[in-house]
Amino acid sequence: MQFRSTRASDVDRIMDILAEGRRALAELGIDQWQGGYPHREAIEIDRARGESYVVVDDEGTVVATATVGFSGEGDYDLIDRGSWLTATRSDDACYGVVHRVAVSASCKGRGAASLLLACAEELTRDRGCESVRIDTHPGNLPMRRLLEKSGYAECGVIYIAHAEAGTPERIAYEKLV
């Protein structure tokens, strides 16, 4: 598998993978992404900013996607029931943020999500940042296990502004790089 920047020709496949992720979350009883987010416009904006990435398999098929950004995350400025490993805030961010992680159902368990995280960490180190931050729905146990297996520390709870009609509470994780 290979990690690379998203191309315009990848966006339809990314939307299919996100739809699969939306269904998988619904099957787990999780209200995250059930209102249509992440929508195509968000992916197009990520791509235009150079923040959208994919994992492709040996045949060149996109099998996973994520956004890796470096402009800070305002929702991370307030954290309850804990604290970040680093003290940086969104207005002077020195961390990478990973969002919108999704893996094709046909590729689950083959290491694509682990590769996404490892490459996000490498991008973060290359930019001279000190950590990677990510959040997930409290009920998303597969993602929580992946983060813990990948060395991320559970830091507390944040509340997202774009929860649609779902639960705004998210478990916050951080890893020093």
Side-chain angles (χ1 to χ4, degrees), residues 28 31 45 52 56 120-121 146:
L28 291 171
D31 58 10
I45 290 169
S52 182
V56 295
E121 294 159 19
L146 170 68

Side-chain angles (χ1 to χ4, degrees), residues 20-21 44 48 57 67 82 84 102 104 111 131 138:
E20 290 178 19
E44 293 285 3
D57 66 13
T67 297
W84 294 109
S104 172
S131 69

